[in-house]
Amino acid sequence: MKVLVIGGAGYIGSHVVKALMQDGHTVTVFDNLSSGLRENLFKENSFIYGNILIQSDLEFAFEKGFDAFIHLAAFKAAGESMITPEKYSVNNITGTINIMNAALKYNCKYMVFSSSAAVFGEPKYLPIDESHPKEPENYYGFTKLKIEEIMAWYDKIKNLKFAALRYFNAAGYDVDGFPSGLEQNPANLLPVIMETACGMREKMKVFGTDYDTRDGTCIRDYVHVSDLAIAHVKALEYISTKNES
């Protein structure tokens, strides 16, 4: 398939691009490089510099003709979303609607969306499954949930088939050593630990000593970024083969 990866120069996006290539797909990356890096781009792929808030940028990309697109271009800092919700409204919600409208205009009918476990909020039970209540605790999670609801309506009305991957805490790097570009201003725990350990940060803060665990500290779940990248490819293959969301 011909696949447009929006946010494909970023940490997760570049690993998704590699997984798509290894599976035989033809990939074009669309990115504004606000957090993505040119060194994460593969020479085998076309690259379009563009912004999801500029409709003409998106139409310039989609008019080249794609079977599917993968959307990884949202802002993702949960804490920041509670301080500047307007920033997250415009980029995450409006930006995604812009992408979907451009895709439909040029008859691109398959979409894989980078959603988040943040749509669930505080766990009512563990492990969380897909039927768990969706009660986001931050505005970031709210934007992801609203996008999922919008996609469901676009599927119903416009036949845009989608997969929403509600993942959490990606970690690690590709075992072959590429891509390897460091995230810009990461807010996730593992890159913050590593930046502190190698002196890029003076210190890091750890919050919470009263969790219901053996020593009171927090336990987090992680998924390796390469496994996550493969999941995007599998999701795309499912919705395109079954023609269902």
Side-chain angles (χ1 to χ4, degrees):
M1 301 174 74
K2 288 183 65 178
V3 184
L4 182 66
V5 181
I6 302 169
Y11 167 53
I12 295 174
S14 56
H15 286 80
V16 170
V17 168
K18 183 169 185 177
L20 285 165
M21 292 165 56
Q22 289 177 328
D23 216 48
H25 301 287
T26 301
V27 182
T28 296
V29 172
F30 180 99
D31 205 298
N32 69 355
L33 301 178
S34 60
S35 58
L37 300 167
R38 286 190 181 275
E39 52 260 46
N40 280 341
L41 297 171
F42 294 83
K43 65 180 184 300
E44 297 93 332
N45 303 134
S46 299
F47 171 64
I48 298 171
Y49 178 85
N51 191 317
I52 63 173
L53 300 182
I54 301 174
Q55 198 69 31
S56 58
D57 285 1
L58 289 165
E59 293 193 10
F60 173 80
F62 277 103
E63 71 182 5
K64 296 178 180 358
F66 293 96
D67 303 302
F69 67 96
I70 298 179
H71 173 24
L72 305 112
F75 292 144
K76 62 173 186 170
E80 182 188 46
S81 75
M82 299 296 284
I83 300 168
T84 55
E86 61 276 23
K87 174 181 176 180
Y88 281 68
S89 296
V90 172
N91 186 80
N92 291 11
I93 298 176
T94 305
T96 302
I97 293 171
N98 290 345
I99 294 168
M100 294 165 68
N101 289 345
L104 287 173
K105 182 174 180 178
Y106 292 96
N107 202 36
C108 182
K109 292 292 187 75
Y110 297 110
M111 169 181 186
V112 177
F113 175 58
S114 166
S115 190
S116 171
V119 302
F120 295 116
E122 186 68 24
K124 302 289 191 293
Y125 55 83
L126 291 171
I128 291 173
D129 57 24
E130 290 178 346
S131 61
H132 187 282
K134 291 175 279 295
E135 299 171 359
E137 291 191 304
N138 54 66
Y139 194 71
Y140 160 71
F142 171 82
T143 65
K144 294 286 191 174
L145 182 57
K146 290 299 113 180
I147 291 166
E148 288 190 12
E149 293 174 359
I150 292 167
M151 289 191 301
W153 275 105
Y154 269 55
D155 179 10
K156 193 179 298 185
I157 300 169
K158 290 289 190 176
N159 201 34
L160 176 64
K161 300 305 176 189
F162 70 91
L165 304 185
R166 297 171 180 157
Y167 52 85
F168 51 86
N169 299 316
Y173 268 101
D174 180 81
V175 294
D176 297 330
F178 189 90
S180 62
L182 295 180
E183 278 193 273
Q184 305 299 296
N185 303 310
N188 298 73
L189 180 61
L190 282 191
V192 170
I193 290 173
M194 300 303 287
E195 287 188 359
T196 308
C198 69
M200 293 170 64
R201 293 173 183 248
E202 183 182 345
K203 60 186 177 182
M204 61 170 283
K205 293 181 178 180
V206 178
F207 299 96
T209 58
D210 58 351
Y211 290 92
D212 185 20
T213 57
R214 187 174 60 187
D215 61 359
T217 58
C218 180
I219 293 175
R220 305 297 298 275
D221 290 319
Y222 296 90
V223 57
H224 195 281
V225 67
S226 295
D227 293 330
L228 186 57
I230 292 168
H232 283 76
V233 178
K234 296 293 187 186
L236 175 58
E237 290 173 349
Y238 180 93
I239 62 173
S240 60
T241 301
K242 304 277 190 179
N243 198 40
E244 63 182 41
S245 296

